[in-house]
Amino acid sequence: MGEIMERRKTSSVCIGNVQVGGTAPISVQSMTNTKTDNVEATVAQIKALHLAGCDIVRVAVPDMSAALAIKQIKARIDVPLIADIHFDYRLAIAAMESGVDALRINPGNIGNIEHVAMIVTEAKKHHIPIRIGVNAGSLEKGIQEKYGGHPSPAGMVESALQHIAILEKLEFYDIKISLKANDVPMTIKAYQLMSETVNYPLHLGITEAGTIKSGIIKSAVGIGALLAQGIGDTIRVSLTGDPVQEVRAANEILKSLGLKEYGPTLVSCPTCGRCNIDLAAIAEEVEKKLSTVRKPIKVAVMGCIVNGPGEAREADIGIAGGKGQGLVFRKGEIIQTVAEDQLLTALFAEIDKLIEEEQ
Amino acid sequence: MGEIMERRKTSSVCIGNVQVGGTAPISVQSMTNTKTDNVEATVAQIKALHLAGCDIVRVAVPDMSAALAIKQIKARIDVPLIADIHFDYRLAIAAMESGVDALRINPGNIGNIEHVAMIVTEAKKHHIPIRIGVNAGSLEKGIQEKYGGHPSPAGMVESALQHIAILEKLEFYDIKISLKANDVPMTIKAYQLMSETVNYPLHLGITEAGTIKSGIIKSAVGIGALLAQGIGDTIRVSLTGDPVQEVRAANEILKSLGLKEYGPTLVSCPTCGRCNIDLAAIAEEVEKKLSTVRKPIKVAVMGCIVNGPGEAREADIGIAGGKGQGLVFRKGEIIQTVAEDQLLTALFAEIDKLIEEEQ
């Protein structure tokens, strides 16, 4: 398909066995919302996220019992784990000793350069990368004042550069950066600016995007716009709700830009006055059927015989409805004409055939 | 908020009282999926679309009874109407005589230049613009062969330029262009190429995007990526399902890029191990409350007292949960500390106050 963006060249880091940046595929991240020290619940959620297509999982580490729980969690999962830590260097050290694969911590917020150095020493020893995560809402006061008293893209970048400088002074370069805001244009601008300034890999996200219903659109627009410009090496969709939905949305964003093969694609026309069948109902049935399919096949459900097979020529398999009867087509070629009430059965049979075919 | 894109300069057309292109706000379009000659059903759907925030509505005109129905439909609606016509010049003439505000027809498909001239004469008389709508799936065979036997961005642009040339030869310039594919990168590339080639206003869309669930992400990525590059003057989200959902999604896309004020914004954090309240449930309650609000207020629902008020400083009103009790804040300033079970009540009271305040 169309190559729209030349991906920006970045350095890379390894989070467990997942490379981020460089030429690595763009990875999907999410974060648990269980209490991290509830090992059972946390492991269960991590497994659900992994199964849904999450490449890297992050957990909050607000206290020592969370940091220590990482050891038990790590023993039971096989997806890389990141510890999200605010301020306290002891939690970072403990998380690393517990076997975490990466940290998210802002060195400028730790307060004491000796403590930062202790973290860096431990991180170097275990090859643990650090994400610097700047958030528009918690931008340093001094920086905000410098840029008009409000969060701004330039301010966010300056904040990140200050954190980076602290790590670079300690000769630590396994760095990944995020610059999140809940304002989409501000986020886009900040990442654009950052990508012109440093070549560390970038973790994209729109923060506090909202509920599943409204947050998905904000995230798709913001993350999608950046990826379409070749910016971004790993993504996280933030939604208030089940994080499995974040993973599904993130993968759909990557899939839509041809950046990941992720399950089947359903192409269905919006229907118009030319459509003589209940296409929405049929499309929903097909979507249900496809929800159990992992193979990246392309299935078309089209409303009219005139445009259907031609417009969906790229589909591996498809149907087009007419008056009383419909067509089944494969790669644009009509293979069957069937009565309308047989359309779904015929399509499902062809889908099953496709799935069974050698990859 | 952040200005990320300089909007591409285009000419403009007027569809009824809605200007498209130039400096006009980016408008939202949708299309009915009723039988157009079922006037009752079509008018009802058009009104629902208009109410949901649709600026321009299109109807399919597959036959003469649909073309003639436009007269009755126009008499009962006050949103501009476009007739979507394939091939038949008589339907175009009849739709214009019935009072339609614009046409979507590809002059190269009409077959006879005399017939195109008749359409153009009538369109000039009534100041009716024409959208040329190129669809990757129905690209001319000759053009496809020229570009490797497949639909391609360059092929789509060439097809559009051929249609444009026919109209320009007849000294008709009230033109709007769309270049839709169900492949997002191909669509983005085609519009980018087109916007470097001509300065007619562009109608953006991803065609056959799929059902409401999966199609929204594809549309948000494709349309959002283009808008973020300053490309696009009017948009249509195509979904298989109730077109009111298309309008809602289109408006959310524009809102997320700061291109339209459209109802309230809910900011809510994704929750993490630091969160001690059932934020998802609270956010859903707040979303329900806001669904009846038209004023563009920003409401925050944050999981923790530490980061909440600061990160959501931009919100007109917000709450942050803690252990047993929570905060209500206005523009980052804490105005109330209340028991957890009083949080929603306190927030709703403040929202009501905000709504009643003078704009």
Side-chain angles (χ1 to χ4, degrees):
Chain A
M1 291 295 141
E3 274 274 329
I4 43 160
M5 62 303 251
E6 197 181 336
R7 187 161 162 205
R8 189 182 64 105
K9 282 182 181 51
T10 68
S11 58
S12 71
V13 298
C14 280
I15 301 178
N17 59 0
V18 175
Q19 187 188 331
V20 173
T23 57
I26 292 161
S27 48
V28 167
Q29 304 203 17
S30 183
M31 188 169 182
T32 55
N33 59 12
T34 53
K35 297 280 165 213
T36 303
D37 59 4
N38 181 340
V39 174
E40 280 309 318
T42 302
V43 167
Q45 194 172 58
I46 290 172
K47 285 182 186 239
L49 291 170
H50 193 195
L51 191 69
C54 185
D55 303 305
I56 300 165
V57 178
R58 180 159 45 113
V59 294
V61 178
D63 51 35
M64 197 48 82
S65 82
L68 299 177
I70 286 173
K71 193 165 185 175
Q72 291 162 267
I73 294 168
K74 274 293 293 176
R76 292 172 56 185
I77 61 171
D78 53 1
V79 58
L81 196 69
I82 302 179
D84 191 285
I85 293 160
H86 287 197
F87 316 117
D88 191 340
Y89 77 102
R90 287 164 301 193
L91 299 179
I93 303 279
M96 287 188 279
E97 286 172 351
S98 297
V100 88
D101 298 292
L103 296 179
R104 187 256 180 165
I105 190 164
N106 289 351
N109 300 347
I110 295 169
N112 180 326
I113 190 67
E114 301 297 320
H115 294 160
V116 178
M118 287 167 71
I119 294 175
V120 164
T121 301
E122 189 75 12
K124 280 183 183 169
K125 196 164 79 187
H126 299 286
H127 302 286
I128 287 178
I130 295 176
R131 168 157 69 96
I132 290 166
V134 170
N135 215 312
S138 43
L139 211 55
E140 293 86 346
K141 269 219 164 127
I143 290 180
Q144 282 203 50
E145 276 158 24
K146 183 170 163 191
Y147 294 96
H150 287 284
S152 65
M156 290 166 73
V157 168
E158 181 160 327
S159 171
L161 291 174
Q162 288 181 3
H163 293 299
I164 291 170
I166 295 170
L167 294 181
E168 287 182 341
K169 212 176 218 168
L170 296 163
E171 293 177 344
F172 186 87
Y173 307 99
D174 268 4
I175 297 172
K176 193 167 53 114
I177 300 160
S178 66
L179 302 158
K180 300 187 187 180
N182 65 54
D183 179 67
V184 174
M186 192 186 294
T187 309
I188 293 176
K189 186 77 194 157
Y191 279 104
Q192 285 173 333
L193 211 59
M194 198 75 210
S195 76
E196 293 161 10
T197 311
V198 299
N199 78 336
Y200 289 118
L202 298 177
H203 163 121
L204 304 185
I206 306 296
T207 195
E208 293 124 23
T211 59
I212 289 167
K213 207 166 128 192
S214 61
I216 278 181
I217 291 182
K218 262 177 105 160
S219 296
V221 169
I223 294 172
L226 285 163
L227 291 173
Q229 292 169 31
I231 297 172
D233 302 284
T234 183
I235 69 172
R236 188 229 172 159
V237 172
S238 299
L239 301 173
T240 306
D242 181 355
V244 166
Q245 295 297 327
E246 301 184 347
V247 173
R248 195 193 68 80
N251 277 305
E252 289 285 343
I253 292 170
L254 293 180
K255 185 167 86 165
S256 74
L257 285 165
L259 296 168
K260 188 168 188 170
E261 281 204 341
Y262 172 72
T265 300
L266 173 63
V267 175
S268 58
C269 77
T271 81
C272 66
R274 272 182 288 272
C275 178
N276 287 299
I277 55 173
D278 185 359
L279 200 76
I282 292 176
E284 265 175 45
E285 284 296 318
V286 176
E287 189 167 59
K288 213 180 291 168
K289 164 88 178 173
L290 292 179
S291 69
T292 61
V293 176
R294 306 286 290 184
K295 196 172 172 179
I297 55 172
K298 195 166 189 175
V299 179
V301 176
M302 308 296 283
C304 79
I305 293 181
V306 182
N307 300 320
E311 296 206 352
R313 197 177 299 127
E314 309 290 315
D316 295 303
I317 192 78
I319 50 172
K323 278 189 180 158
Q325 60 177 17
L327 302 174
V328 183
F329 53 91
R330 209 166 167 159
K331 290 276 179 198
E333 274 181 48
I334 296 162
I335 56 174
Q336 238 183 313
T337 304
V338 296
E340 192 188 317
D341 60 1
Q342 292 303 307
L343 258 179
L344 265 181
T345 315
L347 177 65
F348 285 3
E350 290 297 324
I351 290 174
D352 289 336
K353 266 193 232 167
L354 265 178
I355 296 167
E356 281 157 28
E357 279 169 19
E358 297 285 343
Q359 300 263 2
Chain B
M1 293 296 140
E3 276 273 328
I4 42 159
M5 62 304 253
E6 198 181 333
R7 186 162 163 205
R8 187 182 66 106
K9 281 182 184 52
T10 67
S11 59
S12 72
V13 298
C14 280
I15 300 178
N17 60 0
V18 175
Q19 188 188 331
V20 173
T23 58
I26 292 162
S27 47
V28 167
Q29 304 204 16
S30 183
M31 188 169 181
T32 56
N33 58 12
T34 53
K35 296 280 164 214
T36 303
D37 59 4
N38 182 339
V39 173
E40 280 309 317
T42 303
V43 166
Q45 196 173 55
I46 290 171
K47 285 181 184 238
L49 291 169
H50 193 195
L51 191 69
C54 185
D55 303 305
I56 300 165
V57 178
R58 181 159 44 113
V59 294
V61 178
D63 51 35
M64 196 49 81
S65 82
L68 298 177
I70 286 173
K71 193 164 186 176
Q72 290 162 268
I73 294 167
K74 273 294 292 176
R76 291 170 57 185
I77 61 173
D78 53 359
V79 59
L81 196 68
I82 302 180
D84 190 286
I85 293 161
H86 287 198
F87 316 117
D88 192 340
Y89 78 102
R90 287 164 299 191
L91 300 180
I93 303 279
M96 288 189 278
E97 286 173 351
S98 296
V100 88
D101 298 293
L103 295 180
R104 187 257 179 164
I105 190 164
N106 290 351
N109 300 347
I110 293 169
N112 180 326
I113 190 67
E114 301 297 318
H115 295 160
V116 178
M118 286 167 71
I119 294 175
V120 163
T121 301
E122 189 76 11
K124 280 182 183 170
K125 195 164 80 186
H126 298 288
H127 302 287
I128 287 177
I130 295 176
R131 166 157 69 95
I132 290 166
V134 171
N135 215 313
S138 42
L139 212 54
E140 293 85 347
K141 269 218 163 129
I143 291 179
Q144 282 202 50
E145 276 158 22
K146 182 169 165 192
Y147 294 96
H150 286 286
S152 65
M156 291 166 73
V157 168
E158 182 161 326
S159 171
L161 291 175
Q162 289 181 1
H163 294 299
I164 291 170
I166 295 171
L167 294 181
E168 287 182 341
K169 212 176 220 170
L170 296 164
E171 294 178 342
F172 186 87
Y173 307 99
D174 267 6
I175 297 173
K176 194 169 51 117
I177 299 160
S178 67
L179 303 158
K180 299 187 186 180
N182 64 55
D183 179 68
V184 174
M186 192 187 294
T187 310
I188 293 176
K189 187 75 193 159
Y191 279 105
Q192 286 173 333
L193 211 58
M194 197 76 212
S195 76
E196 292 162 8
T197 311
V198 299
N199 79 336
Y200 290 117
L202 298 177
H203 164 121
L204 304 184
I206 306 296
T207 195
E208 293 125 24
T211 58
I212 289 167
K213 208 166 130 195
S214 61
I216 278 180
I217 290 181
K218 263 178 105 162
S219 296
V221 169
I223 295 172
L226 284 164
L227 291 172
Q229 292 170 32
I231 296 172
D233 303 283
T234 184
I235 70 172
R236 189 230 172 158
V237 172
S238 299
L239 301 172
T240 305
D242 182 355
V244 165
Q245 294 298 326
E246 300 183 349
V247 172
R248 195 192 68 80
N251 276 303
E252 289 286 342
I253 291 170
L254 293 179
K255 184 167 87 166
S256 74
L257 285 165
L259 295 168
K260 188 167 188 172
E261 281 204 339
Y262 172 73
T265 299
L266 173 63
V267 175
S268 60
C269 76
T271 80
C272 65
R274 273 183 287 271
C275 177
N276 288 298
I277 56 172
D278 185 358
L279 200 76
I282 291 176
E284 263 175 46
E285 284 296 319
V286 175
E287 189 166 61
K288 212 180 292 168
K289 163 89 178 170
L290 292 179
S291 69
T292 61
V293 175
R294 306 284 291 185
K295 196 171 172 178
I297 55 173
K298 196 167 188 174
V299 179
V301 175
M302 308 296 283
C304 80
I305 293 181
V306 182
N307 300 321
E311 295 207 353
R313 198 178 299 126
E314 310 290 315
D316 296 303
I317 192 76
I319 50 172
K323 279 188 178 158
Q325 60 178 16
L327 303 174
V328 183
F329 53 91
R330 209 167 168 158
K331 290 273 178 201
E333 275 181 46
I334 296 161
I335 56 172
Q336 239 183 312
T337 304
V338 296
E340 191 188 317
D341 60 1
Q342 292 302 306
L343 257 180
L344 264 181
T345 315
L347 176 66
F348 285 4
E350 288 298 324
I351 289 175
D352 289 337
K353 265 193 230 167
L354 263 179
I355 295 167
E356 280 157 29
E357 278 170 17
E358 297 285 344
Q359 300 264 3

